[in-house]
Amino acid sequence: MSIDNIEDLTPRVQYTASASQIDFDYPFPVMAENDIAVDVDGAPLTIDADFTLTGVGDDLGGTVTLLVGCIGGETVTIWRDTEIFRTSDFQQNGGLSSSSINDELDRLTVIAQALRDATH
């Protein structure tokens, strides 16, 4: 999935939940549903079982919606957790697709951002 603009930002956000809160915005792009991780008070959540996601492929991010509302006071952490693998393989003397190259470079950029976030 192609992202138009990968800004230099921290791919992590944390909230203190209010009572009955279910919606939490994330202000960074993700390329696939499995490229985001969510936990509540350190307990990992599972997409579709514990939360749904909007904004996949959107430059500005989207929203995590918990399927069960918070009691209040919980720490909700959302971060980009992109799997590290190649999405394309460019053949020697073959044609190059700018879209494929941009997607691959975007993926490398978001992985670099996550690695930087993990080391700070």
Side-chain angles (χ1 to χ4, degrees):
M1 167 147 313
S2 182
I3 302 292
D4 293 327
N5 186 21
I6 300 291
E7 294 185 29
D8 186 16
L9 49 75
T10 301
R12 174 182 301 268
V13 64
Q14 195 167 64
Y15 297 95
T16 300
S18 59
S20 301
Q21 184 174 1
I22 60 170
D23 290 327
F24 300 88
D25 294 332
Y26 63 94
F28 48 83
V30 295
M31 296 177 186
E33 282 188 345
N34 61 347
D35 287 346
I36 200 161
V38 180
D39 74 40
V40 175
D41 288 338
L45 302 184
T46 303
I47 193 160
D48 296 328
D50 301 311
F51 69 93
T52 60
L53 187 64
T54 64
V56 172
D58 188 333
D59 292 354
L60 301 176
T63 303
V64 167
T65 300
L66 302 181
L67 299 182
V68 176
C70 292
I71 294 170
E74 299 96 330
T75 300
V76 177
T77 307
I78 304 167
W79 69 97
R80 187 168 46 215
D81 190 25
T82 304
E83 292 183 88
I84 300 175
F85 64 89
R86 290 277 309 261
T87 59
S88 54
D89 188 20
F90 303 108
Q91 299 300 315
Q92 186 173 0
N93 299 321
L96 289 175
S97 161
S98 61
S99 177
S100 294
I101 293 170
N102 282 329
D103 287 349
E104 195 70 36
L105 292 173
D106 286 346
R107 185 173 189 77
L108 291 173
T109 301
V110 300
I111 291 168
Q113 289 173 344
L115 291 172
R116 180 183 61 195
D117 180 58
T119 60
H120 284 95

